Amino acid sequence: MTGERVTALDLKQAELSEPTRAYFAKAKEKLGLIPNVLLAYAFDEKKLRAFTDMYNDLMLGESGLSKLEREMIAVVVSSVNHCYYCLTAHGAAVRQLSGDPALGEMMVMNYRAADLTPKQKAMLDFAVKLTETPAKVEEADREALRTVGFSDRDIWDIASTIAFFNMSNRVAAATDMRPNQEYHAMAR
């Protein structure tokens, strides 16, 4: 569907069902592009659907977390993991959702430099800990999130978003997944 390289793997796009073609068309209409991550998964429609179902639930579904907060988690996890694809794509989303290009850059480079609420900082500190040292997460870490106002359901959503982006970062790294060029110029 695009001329640019998506991954380092030679995986041929499967014959996509009508619902998947419609999903790609909707992405193109809303975003002006089909995200390369979708094209990367298009070799196996079942894997693509599993990925998009989980992504859409975590990032767009009902949650006590705002869409911006979820994107901030995506960027901070991807920053720890040095995931070029996700830093580029989700950095653009932070810029768009916040209306603040500087915030998007700070999230990519060092969220601690950003003017965050104590609640956002606690959430992102938890994201770093769960990414870097998951075996060291303990009740005190969950309690720190509760103290700043997160419910147990919010903590589940935070943890699930962190876990999803750790998985996505590793697939992107393993396949040398490349972001769409358009992301670099978005919301600047």
Side-chain angles (χ1 to χ4, degrees):
M1 289 194 162
T2 71
E4 63 189 68
R5 180 174 74 85
V6 176
T7 72
L9 304 180
D10 186 21
L11 300 170
K12 304 297 180 221
Q13 181 172 310
E15 185 63 38
L16 300 177
S17 67
E18 180 53 40
T20 298
R21 288 195 305 275
Y23 184 79
F24 278 23
K26 186 173 185 172
K28 177 101 172 148
E29 176 188 321
K30 289 178 81 172
L31 303 172
L33 57 90
I34 299 169
N36 282 348
V37 68
L38 299 181
L39 297 174
Y41 274 91
F43 74 94
D44 183 324
E45 194 161 358
K46 185 175 180 183
K47 289 181 184 352
L48 172 64
R49 181 65 46 217
F51 175 85
T52 58
D53 285 351
M54 180 64 88
Y55 175 88
N56 289 334
D57 180 59
L58 289 172
M59 300 304 284
L60 305 172
E62 194 171 313
S63 176
L65 306 177
S66 70
K67 289 179 183 175
L68 175 58
E69 288 169 331
R70 290 179 263 186
E71 289 292 348
M72 292 166 83
I73 291 169
V75 172
V76 168
V77 168
S78 300
S79 180
V80 171
N81 291 325
H82 305 285
C83 180
Y84 176 53
Y85 183 96
C86 290
L87 284 169
T88 304
H90 295 282
V94 168
R95 292 191 304 270
Q96 284 184 316
L97 290 168
S98 69
D100 183 355
L103 178 63
E105 296 305 314
M106 285 183 255
M107 288 293 106
V108 164
M109 294 177 202
N110 180 2
Y111 73 95
R112 292 172 185 95
D115 185 21
L116 301 173
T117 67
K119 191 173 183 180
Q120 291 167 331
K121 183 164 183 319
M123 174 186 75
L124 298 175
D125 288 344
F126 184 79
V128 169
K129 185 170 186 177
L130 187 58
T131 298
E132 290 180 336
T133 56
K136 293 184 179 181
V137 171
E138 55 192 5
E139 184 57 30
D141 299 304
R142 290 181 289 278
E143 193 54 42
L145 292 172
R146 291 182 189 107
T147 298
V148 294
F150 287 112
S151 70
D152 280 5
R153 169 59 199 266
D154 295 336
I155 295 168
W156 179 273
D157 289 351
I158 290 166
S160 296
T161 304
I162 294 164
F164 179 83
F165 281 95
N166 273 289
M167 184 273 302
S168 294
N169 290 172
R170 281 151 180 76
V171 171
T175 65
D176 192 24
M177 192 179 297
R178 295 299 166 135
N180 303 66
Q181 289 300 310
E182 296 90 338
Y183 284 129
H184 294 287
M186 288 181 172
R188 297 228 180 240

